[in-house]
């Protein structure tokens, strides 16, 4: 394959942002389409305090933008697992009042979110509530961990009549929860924040199962090294800095308040954590946004 007389290696995927005419119909997700298009290098206008589409294209490896002029052929195929999951979730929530919110948080797809809602949440600074974050990964992981424990307890004690406590099944629980969380991330389109959280949990599980003593700076360093190995352009993502600083703040606050009687109440500790996050993240948020 070649673009503008430049040969593209077989192992490289070239992404382009294409506009499609309203007259062109019959194209569905996961179809193989042969097209004619007018392409040009990705360039955009840059205005202060607005979305930088050129930087976004650079991070996502989008080389060109253009317009589809003709569709030569369409080869339909069965929906992928991710597309089937999205279709199923939409069927479940489509009759609900906030269907776009439930659908977006379940799939990571914001295409059904009304534009006015997107603009509003961005203006008031809570756009992150519409995105799949590390919190979702943590919830899925720990839910699966305890569900796996419950299922194994029922099977061993009720059906196989075995002593549940004789078996050390922690490794099994952790692996099942990690695989389930990874499947959830795949179905949501591999959002960067979710991948970071999953890597942190995976390293934590590895440390726990191998009985190693790893300090917080080392764990953050290992996670950062893995993220940059798979995607060096993550350094251009503000979320990388916000998530790492936020995670470190939470862990350090918990460590400092763990042995103090004054902070033994869960609500007081939660308030202290929120205050610490405000102090550490506010300067970076003001600088970035």
């Amino acid at each position: 394959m070649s673009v503008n007389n430049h040969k593209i290696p077989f192992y490289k995927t070239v992404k382009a942002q294409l506009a499609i005419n309203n007259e062109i119909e019959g194209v569905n997700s996961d179809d193989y389409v042969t097209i004619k298009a007018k392409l040009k290098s990705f360039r955009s206008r840059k205005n202060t305090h607005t979305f930088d589409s050129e930087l976004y294209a650079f991070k996502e490896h989008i080389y060109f933008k253009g317009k589809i002029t003709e569709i030569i052929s369409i080869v339909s195929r069965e929906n992928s697992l991710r597309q089937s999951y999205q279709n199923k979730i939409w069927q479940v929530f489509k009759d609900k009042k906030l269907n776009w919110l439930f659908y977006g948080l379940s799939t990571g797809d914001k295409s059904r979110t009304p534009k006015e809602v997107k603009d509003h949440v961005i203006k008031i600074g809570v756009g992150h509530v519409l995105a799949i974050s590390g919190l979702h990964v943590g919830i899925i992981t720990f839910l699966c961990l305890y569900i796996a424990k419950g299922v194994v307890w029922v099977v061993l004690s009720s059906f196989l009549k075995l002593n549940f406590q004789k078996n050390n099944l922690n490794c099994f629980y952790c692996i099942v929860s990690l695989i389930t969380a990874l499947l959830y991330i795949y179905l949501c389109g591999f959002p960067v924040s979710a991948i970071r959280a999953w890597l942190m949990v995976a390293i934590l599980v590895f440390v726990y199962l191998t009985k190693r003593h790893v300090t917080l700076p080392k764990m953050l360093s290992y996670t950062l090294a893995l993220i940059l190995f798979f995607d060096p352009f993550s350094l251009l993502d503000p979320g990388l800095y916000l998530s790492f600083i936020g995670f470190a703040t939470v862990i350090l606050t918990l460590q400092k308040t763990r042995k103090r009687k004054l902070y033994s109440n869960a609500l007081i500790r939660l308030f202290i954590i929120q205050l610490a996050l405000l102090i550490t993240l506010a300067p970076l948020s003001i600088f970035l946004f």
Side-chain angles (χ1 to χ4, degrees), residues 10-235:
F10 70 94
Y11 56 84
K12 195 171 185 179
T13 300
V14 178
K15 294 182 181 179
Q17 187 179 78
L18 301 175
I20 187 169
N21 295 329
N22 294 330
E23 302 172 356
I24 299 176
E25 299 179 352
V27 180
N28 300 312
S29 178
D30 294 324
D31 288 347
Y32 288 103
V33 185
T34 304
I35 64 169
K36 287 184 178 180
K38 291 182 178 180
L39 299 178
K40 60 183 179 180
S41 298
F42 199 102
R43 293 289 184 272
S44 66
R45 296 182 178 90
K46 292 185 178 181
N47 296 313
T48 306
H49 304 304
T50 60
F51 178 70
D52 190 340
S53 57
E54 190 170 343
L55 179 60
Y56 171 79
F58 180 77
K59 290 189 295 185
E60 297 296 322
H61 312 291
I62 300 174
Y63 298 95
F64 305 99
K65 66 178 179 179
K67 183 177 181 181
I68 296 175
T69 58
E70 180 185 353
I71 293 184
I72 299 174
S73 65
I74 301 175
V75 179
S76 299
R77 63 168 184 165
E78 294 183 2
N79 289 334
S80 63
L81 176 62
R82 184 184 302 166
Q83 187 62 42
S84 299
Y85 169 74
Q86 291 178 350
N87 294 340
K88 181 65 177 177
I89 293 297
W90 180 247
Q91 291 298 319
V92 171
F93 292 119
K94 68 177 182 178
D95 296 326
K96 306 296 182 183
K97 185 176 180 180
L98 296 175
N99 50 21
W100 53 269
L101 178 61
F102 300 135
Y103 173 79
L105 293 179
S106 301
T107 64
D109 180 12
K110 292 178 280 192
S111 61
R112 298 184 185 273
T113 305
K115 185 178 184 302
E116 57 271 17
V117 173
K118 291 181 182 178
D119 295 339
H120 186 63
V121 297
I122 290 174
K123 284 180 181 177
I124 62 177
V126 293
H128 59 280
V129 301
L130 300 179
I132 300 298
S133 65
L135 178 62
H136 299 86
V137 176
I139 292 173
I140 293 293
T141 302
F142 285 104
L143 276 179
C144 292
L145 183 70
Y146 287 105
I147 290 174
K149 280 188 175 185
V151 171
V152 170
W153 179 80
V154 171
V155 171
L156 292 182
S157 61
S158 301
F159 295 98
L160 300 181
K161 305 298 182 182
L162 298 176
N163 189 336
F164 178 71
Q165 294 182 343
K166 283 185 178 181
N167 304 280
N168 185 3
L169 300 173
N170 289 329
C171 181
F172 172 76
Y173 301 146
C174 293
I175 292 175
V176 168
S177 59
L178 282 177
I179 291 175
T180 307
L182 186 61
L183 177 61
Y184 171 73
I185 294 172
Y186 161 74
L187 294 175
C188 292
F190 291 107
V192 177
S193 57
I195 295 174
R196 290 191 208 110
W198 188 87
L199 286 174
M200 285 186 179
V201 175
I203 291 175
L204 186 63
V205 168
F206 174 77
V207 169
Y208 169 71
L209 294 178
T210 56
K211 300 180 177 62
R212 296 173 182 265
H213 176 71
V214 178
T215 61
L216 177 62
K218 281 188 177 180
M219 188 171 72
L220 292 176
S221 299
Y222 295 156
T223 307
L224 182 61
L226 283 174
I227 290 172
L228 296 180
F229 175 78
F230 289 109
D231 186 11
F233 294 123
S234 294
L235 287 173

